[in-house]
Amino acid sequence: MRRNIPQLPTPEMFDKGEKTTRVDGKGLWRSWKRNFKTKLLALFDLIDNSLDAAIQGQIGSGDHDSFVGRVHVYPDVYEVLDGPANASATTTGLCIINNCAKEIRPLEKVLEVYTSSKVHSGAGDIGENGVGLKQGCATLSDLSFVLVKNGSDANIELGICAESLQREEGCYLPAFKFSNKKGLGQEPLKEQMIDLFCQPKHADVARCIAQYGAASSGSDPNLLIGVERLCRHFDHICCNFFNNKRAFLVILDKVHHGQSEDYVQNACDAQQKITVHHLMKELGNEIPRTYLHIPNSFDFTIGDKKANFTYWPARLVELTAFTVNVNAKIPWQQKFDQTNNHPESYELRVFIGFDVMRITEPKAGKEGSLYVYSRQSGRLISHHPDARTLLSLSAGGTMFCQGLTVIIDDIGGNLPLNPTKQEVAFGEESHGAIHQENLMAWVGSVVHFFYQFHLRTFHDKKTVLTRKIANFGDVLLQKHRQLKILDNSHLTTYDLSFKSIGKSIRVDKSSAREIVGADTLYRLSAEKSRTTSAPNSGVNGRKRKATKNDDTQPSNPPKIPRRRQPIAYHEAEPASDGANEEANGNDSDSSTTQFKAEDGEVEDGEVQDGEVEKDAPTYSSASPNFRKICGELTERIITQRAQIKSLKDELAEEKDLRQGMEQQIRALQRRINTLES
């Protein structure tokens, strides 16, 4: 019996409401409010939208060569004239405005729910039309307005994101078109808006605008005042924002403060002002670290202060650039190449250095940290305070510490991101696990080489390396150099080839060649070697010759037992760390545990960790169980002694850090004395 083939869904079926699911507007709004860990991250998502739109023209070519990207963040202030000379100002929220080199999508499409799938999160995507706008507004405020100027004053739009407009029957984010063109025969914008919002079908929107008109906590909702405030914002983007043809403004009204209503009911206006200014201050502190590739000519202003994007070049010692090729589909073991060059792979930039501010801050972690940046703006996606295990590096003791900082720069947008850009979403890819393993393996290889290269410069002494890095604190305090952003810097790099060792990728150090960069400002230099001269047996500068009858040279000198030279652990770590390094495939010359003897380090007759006395019993004739117990005890003693040595090293590092901080305090005191004089 022949069965009928079911009909596939057609566009007409979706238009009629078939094959669709109703969206609960209230539930969707609550979901938007929970998508960000902090309000600052929600604000960053709105900033991303502005930067994506403005930076396109800044780095573009052709007609946009003279375009200057601008993003301004400032308080939304309502001023009321109480008289000819008196005026009161109330901070009601926060404004974010940016210009655009390209045409902006119609606001009706921008605010439409689920029209941006975020399938492709590459470098060229404009986040302005994504779900981040709705999520960010919902997280920060119950009422937000979106104002757009798209080409001319005659083409302006107003959109509203309000929790009060949402219903269980659906999500409602309305958008309206107006004209702000001045001249004879042109209806004023204020009258256009009042005529529209006084219509019964827009009564719910009118209540939102009236609520915006109640600027202070004791005021009643006022539609006229709300319309007047919106008209002032439209006049600003049409006439006062550097004559840009296209501008995008987001107004966040009554920014959420995180306090209970009982706490702020008597000081709501003051609390809102504190909340806005605190959020702007926090944004100003985090913005330089959050973006890598904002050009110096870009106008990013928070309040009345212009942001500076040279955060990492100003604080990283031996800032070095590496380039690795990462295959997103095939495990690196199957396609390993010494030159790390594959047709299917993409290039990934890695910046590595030692953070001098972290190493001199007592409460800051000194472990190797990983920062992942993506997109053309270089947005910070994720941060791992201790990434040593993630990068297959030894995580024991103080190896790969000293403020080691690793920056992954995915400027090509090859890493999959989640919609809120708070983490890398490898799970979106069919070969996501392989992609992640390949990425960390290649990045870990250059991190391992970088750290070992500079550690060997100081004869594998971590305490010396720590002290050398901390000494740059005085230099950073002066801030007298003109710094460049990472994308424009000529940094130190290396010509490298790679080799496979066990489960890890390592650099072939025999073929590594350093290429010093002019913009690597803070460089580590090796200490001068200390040489000790042997006692001079000569008299008046001449060597004394021995004669046959010289009593001081006996013909048959007695045999003296030769004292065994002690062996000193040099920067030793617990035995388990060395085992981990060996298990991970690290080569022996870069093992965590180093066994080196240096003159003057050990006193005669002192027995160091791992030594065996000459006359110590070997237990060769003892029973197997007895030998096993003795071996275990010996290994335990060696491990404990290595741990004691590691603790002593950490104590020495803390002393060095204290000295570095004291130097910074003295430098600050000198600056204070200079300014006072």
Side-chain angles (χ1 to χ4, degrees):
M1 181 177 180
R2 186 176 181 181
R3 296 182 180 180
N4 294 328
I5 300 176
Q7 183 181 1
L8 295 176
T10 62
E12 291 76 12
M13 297 173 65
F14 286 100
D15 293 338
K16 294 178 182 179
E18 302 178 31
K19 299 291 183 180
T20 59
T21 302
R22 178 180 59 85
V23 178
D24 183 350
K26 291 185 176 180
L28 185 60
W29 189 275
R30 287 193 297 269
S31 174
W32 286 343
K33 294 171 68 173
R34 299 189 184 106
N35 284 338
F36 294 99
K37 299 177 183 178
T38 64
K39 291 180 174 58
L40 183 63
L41 289 175
L43 183 59
F44 273 134
D45 214 34
L46 297 177
I47 297 294
D48 279 343
N49 298 337
S50 299
L51 275 173
D52 284 342
I55 205 171
Q56 288 291 320
Q58 184 80 14
I59 65 177
S61 58
D63 297 337
H64 307 307
D65 284 344
S66 60
F67 180 84
V68 177
R70 303 183 191 276
V71 175
H72 289 189
V73 183
Y74 55 92
D76 185 16
V77 178
Y78 176 57
E79 295 184 358
V80 179
L81 296 176
D82 297 333
N86 293 328
S88 61
T90 303
T91 300
T92 63
L94 189 67
C95 295
I96 306 170
I97 185 173
N98 65 273
N99 58 355
C100 307
K102 300 179 180 179
E103 185 176 357
I104 304 171
R105 288 183 64 194
L107 202 53
E108 181 181 3
K109 296 293 184 182
V110 171
L111 297 178
E112 192 173 346
V113 180
Y114 294 135
T115 58
S116 176
S117 62
K118 293 283 188 179
V119 173
H120 303 290
S121 56
D125 289 347
I126 299 297
E128 188 176 53
N129 300 336
V131 69
L133 174 65
K134 299 100 165 175
Q135 293 181 149
C137 290
T139 303
L140 292 167
S141 173
D142 294 335
L143 174 62
S144 303
F145 298 93
V146 182
L147 283 64
V148 172
K149 174 188 175 183
N150 209 352
S152 67
D153 294 349
N155 187 12
I156 61 174
E157 297 177 82
L158 171 67
I160 303 174
C161 297
E163 185 177 16
S164 61
L165 296 179
Q166 310 313 312
R167 300 288 184 269
E168 293 182 358
E169 294 75 20
C171 182
Y172 182 44
L173 303 174
F176 308 93
K177 293 184 178 182
F178 301 98
S179 173
N180 196 28
K181 192 174 182 179
K182 313 291 185 182
L184 296 176
Q186 301 293 331
E187 184 180 10
L189 177 60
K190 179 180 177 180
E191 295 182 7
Q192 297 177 48
M193 298 179 71
I194 291 177
D195 291 343
L196 178 65
F197 297 128
C198 284
Q199 297 178 15
K201 63 179 180 180
H202 296 311
D204 50 356
V205 177
R207 284 192 290 270
C208 294
I209 299 176
Q211 186 63 39
Y212 185 58
S216 58
S217 58
S219 303
D220 295 327
N222 191 311
L223 177 62
L224 182 60
I225 295 178
V227 169
E228 289 177 348
R229 295 189 67 190
L230 291 175
C231 289
R232 293 178 189 174
H233 287 295
F234 272 118
D235 288 340
H236 174 63
I237 66 174
C238 290
C239 306
N240 300 327
F241 192 55
F242 303 95
N243 296 321
N244 286 281
K245 293 183 178 180
R246 301 174 186 86
F248 197 96
L249 170 64
V250 177
I251 304 171
L252 304 168
D253 188 49
K254 306 295 188 301
V255 177
H256 294 157
H257 42 69
Q259 301 288 349
S260 64
E261 291 298 329
D262 296 336
Y263 179 81
V264 297
Q265 62 180 354
N266 297 325
C268 185
D269 295 338
Q271 180 63 44
Q272 180 62 202
K273 183 177 181 179
I274 293 173
T275 299
V276 170
H277 283 271
H278 176 74
L279 196 58
M280 290 175 58
K281 182 179 179 181
E282 195 175 4
L283 181 67
N285 293 334
E286 291 296 325
I287 275 287
R289 185 177 74 111
T290 306
Y291 296 96
L292 285 183
H293 305 309
I294 307 301
N296 293 329
S297 59
F298 193 94
D299 180 16
F300 195 111
T301 305
I302 303 174
D304 56 353
K305 296 181 180 179
K306 185 175 180 180
N308 189 307
F309 294 95
T310 58
Y311 179 85
W312 291 119
R315 60 190 290 150
L316 291 186
V317 175
E318 282 292 351
L319 181 56
T320 305
F322 295 89
T323 301
V324 294
N325 294 325
V326 180
N327 196 312
K329 297 181 179 180
I330 304 174
W332 66 266
Q333 296 91 338
Q334 298 181 17
K335 280 279 189 178
F336 183 76
D337 183 3
Q338 291 183 354
T339 59
N340 188 24
N341 187 12
H342 310 295
E344 311 89 353
S345 303
Y346 65 88
E347 283 193 352
L348 186 74
R349 289 196 300 187
V350 183
F351 300 99
I352 310 177
F354 296 101
D355 192 344
V356 67
M357 305 303 289
R358 234 181 351 121
I359 204 172
T360 55
E361 175 61 39
K363 295 182 180 180
K366 312 300 186 293
E367 298 82 8
S369 297
L370 175 65
Y371 297 83
V372 181
Y373 290 81
S374 185
R375 305 168 71 87
Q376 283 180 316
S377 61
R379 162 70 190 274
L380 177 63
I381 303 302
S382 66
H383 169 219
H384 302 272
D386 187 355
R388 293 178 292 177
T389 302
L390 189 64
L391 298 173
S392 299
L393 303 172
S394 174
T398 56
M399 284 297 290
F400 300 100
C401 293
Q402 291 75 42
L404 181 65
T405 302
V406 184
I407 299 171
I408 293 178
D409 179 21
D410 177 38
I411 195 171
N414 294 288
L415 296 179
L417 313 179
N418 63 13
T420 57
K421 297 186 284 291
Q422 298 179 80
E423 191 55 70
V424 181
F426 287 106
E428 285 188 1
E429 298 181 336
S430 57
H431 302 86
I434 295 175
H435 189 182
Q436 183 179 16
E437 182 181 356
N438 290 348
L439 175 74
M440 296 306 170
W442 284 111
V443 174
S445 67
V446 293
V447 175
H448 183 275
F449 166 77
F450 174 86
Y451 183 83
Q452 293 289 351
F453 178 86
H454 291 291
L455 186 61
R456 281 195 298 271
T457 303
F458 302 104
H459 309 289
D460 297 322
K461 296 181 180 179
K462 290 177 289 184
T463 53
V464 178
L465 176 61
T466 300
R467 183 174 67 252
K468 283 289 186 177
I469 298 170
N471 288 341
F472 281 94
D474 293 341
V475 179
L476 298 188
L477 286 172
Q478 297 175 8
K479 295 183 179 179
H480 62 280
R481 295 180 180 269
Q482 185 67 28
L483 300 174
K484 302 177 183 178
I485 64 172
L486 286 177
D487 205 28
N488 297 337
S489 298
H490 181 233
L491 302 174
T492 296
T493 186
Y494 292 85
D495 185 11
L496 302 175
S497 61
F498 299 86
K499 58 184 178 180
S500 173
I501 301 180
K503 297 180 180 180
S504 300
I505 305 172
R506 289 295 175 254
V507 172
D508 185 0
K509 292 182 283 293
S510 62
S511 61
R513 184 172 63 90
E514 183 181 22
I515 305 172
V516 178
D519 295 324
T520 298
L521 302 179
Y522 313 118
R523 303 210 61 205
L524 297 170
S525 57
E527 290 184 327
K528 295 181 179 179
S529 59
R530 294 173 296 177
T531 58
T532 56
S533 58
N536 191 356
S537 60
V539 180
N540 296 329
R542 297 181 180 179
K543 291 184 178 180
R544 182 168 57 89
K545 296 182 179 180
T547 61
K548 291 184 178 181
N549 299 325
D550 194 344
D551 296 336
T552 61
Q553 296 290 336
S555 58
N556 294 316
K559 293 184 178 180
I560 301 175
R562 185 177 180 181
R563 175 177 291 177
R564 177 187 49 79
Q565 294 295 329
I567 302 174
Y569 276 96
H570 192 62
E571 299 292 350
E573 294 291 341
S576 58
D577 296 340
N580 292 337
E581 282 286 306
E582 185 176 356
N584 291 332
N586 294 351
D587 42 348
S588 59
D589 61 341
S590 60
S591 177
T592 307
T593 307
Q594 303 287 339
F595 299 93
K596 294 184 180 179
E598 293 191 10
D599 296 336
E601 296 256 324
V602 184
E603 297 179 3
D604 288 342
E606 182 180 354
V607 180
Q608 295 296 312
D609 302 335
E611 287 184 354
V612 180
E613 295 280 6
K614 180 178 179 182
D615 299 329
T618 59
Y619 308 111
S620 59
S621 61
S623 65
N625 291 336
F626 184 74
R627 290 199 302 269
K628 180 180 179 182
I629 293 173
C630 292
E632 291 176 353
L633 290 175
T634 302
E635 291 179 0
R636 187 179 301 176
I637 292 172
I638 293 173
T639 301
Q640 290 179 351
R641 287 177 173 175
Q643 291 175 351
I644 293 172
K645 182 65 168 60
S646 179
L647 291 175
K648 289 181 179 179
D649 290 343
E650 293 182 6
L651 179 61
E653 288 183 7
E654 293 296 331
K655 292 181 179 179
D656 291 337
L657 292 177
R658 185 178 64 183
Q659 294 177 359
M661 293 185 64
E662 291 176 351
Q663 292 177 0
Q664 291 190 37
I665 292 173
R666 289 194 294 269
L668 285 172
Q669 188 62 47
R670 289 194 297 269
R671 291 185 63 190
I672 292 172
N673 295 337
T674 303
L675 292 173
E676 288 179 348
S677 62

